[in-house]
Amino acid sequence: MARAGLTADRVTEAAADLADVVGFDNITLSALARGFGVADASLYSHVKNMRDLRTRVAVRAAGELADRLATATAGRAGKESLAGFANAWRDFARDCPGRYQATQMVLAPEAVAGSSGHQRIMAITYAHLGAYGLPEPDLTDAIRLLRSTYQGFFAIEASSGFGHPRDLQASWEKILDALDNALTHWRVSS
């Protein structure tokens, strides 16, 4: 075990890398152990079980996504911020498909509360929509609209489900225009 230099962080990083290759739902402790050249049991010194490993990958991925979102929205507002946020999220989904899947994992409330990445994603999401001036509960409704739109697009794109010859980037830009328009002209709840 000492020769492999295993730590919880190294195991988590290797699991995140493996998830990008085989899919988040397909990572196994056996595959990780083989990659490190150790017995499966050796990994249990660093992660409690598969749920713990998946949670660690989800927390790590959320931190990586938060970094991208923060960079993409810094100093921007309105449509420019919306586009930066959406494009950064889309790039993450395409560049790191397993990590992206991990960010969709439903975590225990205490895991979310202890994850700076998840907390930052929430803060960046609310902050980048600030220019639209939506009060609650409309802001939450708007966030749900955006998340549903993005995740639907990402899922269809990942499965090569857009079969029409129309340029996919042109469609994406139209979607962002439509979302900006919807947010700009949002009918606030009474």
Side-chain angles (χ1 to χ4, degrees):
M1 195 164 48
R3 286 176 289 156
L6 295 180
T7 65
D9 284 342
R10 279 199 67 212
V11 171
T12 302
E13 181 180 354
D17 291 342
L18 182 60
D20 285 336
V21 175
V22 301
F24 180 65
D25 293 334
N26 297 320
I27 58 174
T28 65
L29 289 169
S30 293
L32 288 170
R34 277 192 307 275
F36 284 115
V38 299
D40 295 12
S42 298
L43 298 183
Y44 289 105
S45 298
H46 307 287
V47 295
K48 294 176 194 169
N49 51 40
M50 200 60 204
R51 175 76 183 177
D52 178 45
L53 178 62
R54 289 182 190 282
T55 298
R56 289 172 180 271
V57 172
V59 167
R60 177 187 214 84
E64 293 170 1
L65 176 57
D67 290 344
R68 289 187 183 207
L69 297 175
T71 299
T73 58
R76 297 182 172 111
K79 181 166 183 217
E80 188 179 333
S81 180
L82 177 76
F85 182 94
N87 287 325
W89 199 336
R90 182 179 177 208
D91 289 345
F92 185 76
R94 291 190 299 192
D95 298 345
C96 309
R99 284 171 166 84
Y100 168 72
Q101 286 177 304
T103 66
Q104 305 310 304
M105 179 181 172
V106 176
L107 299 178
E110 60 273 10
V112 174
S115 168
S116 65
H118 283 88
Q119 298 303 313
R120 288 175 48 225
I121 289 170
M122 287 187 271
I124 293 164
T125 300
Y126 279 88
H128 96 276
L129 293 175
Y132 294 101
L134 300 177
E136 284 294 357
D138 295 286
L139 182 55
T140 294
D141 294 340
I143 289 170
R144 288 176 176 168
L145 168 68
L146 297 178
R147 184 175 179 201
S148 299
T149 302
Y150 299 158
Q151 287 186 210
F153 189 95
F154 303 158
I156 296 168
E157 183 176 32
S159 68
S160 300
F162 290 117
H164 193 279
R166 165 93 165 128
D167 178 63
L168 197 53
Q169 184 61 30
S171 294
W172 177 248
E173 290 170 13
K174 282 286 195 183
I175 289 168
L176 295 181
D177 288 343
L179 290 172
D180 175 62
N181 186 54
L183 293 169
T184 300
H185 301 313
W186 193 275
R187 186 173 171 192
V188 176
S189 301
S190 323

